[in-house]
Amino acid sequence: MMVVNVSPVNLSRIVEKLSEVVDFKSDLPSKVFLENELVFWFFERPLLAFIEVVSGLISKSISSYGVDVFVKFSGDELLDNSCIVFDGCDTENKILIVNDDYVNFLGGKVGYPIVLFNESHDWVAFESAHEEFGVIAVREASLSKGFFDYLESNFISAKILDELALSSTADGLTARAFKESYRS
């Protein structure tokens, strides 16, 4: 089994399209998404370390939307081996390989932010080095029931974020900052 990195020619096209959805000049907890009509879920980072959850996210996305899923390291930088494609075959084992290979960011050759997204940008997850939470933005108009149910079961909903924001803990402070930026 092999993990497929995106070729340099395709990487340029992918980053160009992704830059229409994500403002790479911004960082969390600020709103990094350029589109409106989005709904949000949140997650504790690093998302790729939660093998079953991210594998399920990729599988549910492919079954719901019918397009490949990508993981892009180093934001909009056009670096070799910074973008990986998942086509739905043997996803959990590929995530294990990616997690092992990228735990040290290829020896510092790639880094944050990490962006997961499907090819048609129905959803985009953004993970920063500076925050403990990441954000998944989903186009409300394209949100399928199966994908919604997966997100509700495995990620932090806006309602749960509201509850976290009531706490005086560090997570509560973080939740309040995200709540301010990501009010639906």
Side-chain angles (χ1 to χ4, degrees):
M1 174 195 37
M2 186 170 113
V3 173
V4 179
N5 284 292
V6 174
S7 72
V9 171
N10 287 335
L11 179 61
S12 179
R13 179 187 58 79
I14 287 168
V15 167
E16 181 180 324
K17 296 299 277 178
L18 189 58
S19 294
E20 294 172 6
V21 179
V22 175
D23 177 5
F24 286 105
K25 291 178 179 64
S26 295
D27 200 359
L28 298 176
S30 297
K31 190 172 177 188
V32 297
F33 303 101
L34 299 171
E35 295 185 17
N36 296 317
E37 309 300 323
L38 300 170
V39 289
F40 303 102
W41 282 264
F42 305 87
F43 58 89
E44 292 185 47
R45 64 183 267 291
L47 182 57
L48 291 175
F50 299 101
I51 305 299
E52 287 182 15
V53 172
V54 76
S55 176
L57 177 68
I58 291 168
S59 297
K60 185 56 74 173
S61 174
I62 291 171
S63 69
S64 296
Y65 299 106
V67 295
D68 292 341
V69 172
F70 297 85
V71 177
K72 173 68 178 83
F73 292 85
S74 298
D76 60 350
E77 294 182 55
L78 301 175
L79 302 173
D80 288 342
N81 302 315
S82 67
C83 190
I84 300 154
V85 63
F86 292 88
D87 59 6
C89 297
D90 206 15
T91 301
E92 192 166 316
N93 284 326
K94 287 179 183 176
I95 288 292
L96 283 168
I97 292 169
V98 169
N99 195 37
D100 288 345
D101 289 349
Y102 286 82
V103 72
N104 72 354
F105 295 100
L106 295 178
K109 293 178 182 161
V110 297
Y112 285 101
I114 300 171
V115 186
L116 286 80
F117 55 98
N118 76 343
E119 189 169 14
S120 53
H121 300 107
D122 298 296
W123 65 273
V124 177
F126 189 94
E127 182 177 319
S128 167
H130 301 99
E131 290 297 335
E132 291 304 311
F133 291 136
V135 181
I136 301 174
V138 184
R139 288 183 179 147
E140 192 168 19
S142 64
L143 184 57
S144 72
K145 178 162 177 25
F147 198 64
F148 172 85
D149 289 344
Y150 189 81
L151 293 171
E152 282 290 301
S153 296
N154 293 281
F155 293 93
I156 301 167
S157 68
K159 182 179 177 181
I160 294 171
L161 187 74
D162 287 345
E163 292 170 11
L164 279 172
L166 297 174
S167 168
S168 61
T169 66
D171 281 348
L173 289 170
T174 302
R176 285 192 290 283
F178 276 86
K179 183 178 169 184
E180 186 68 29
S181 294
Y182 290 94
R183 285 196 171 114
S184 294

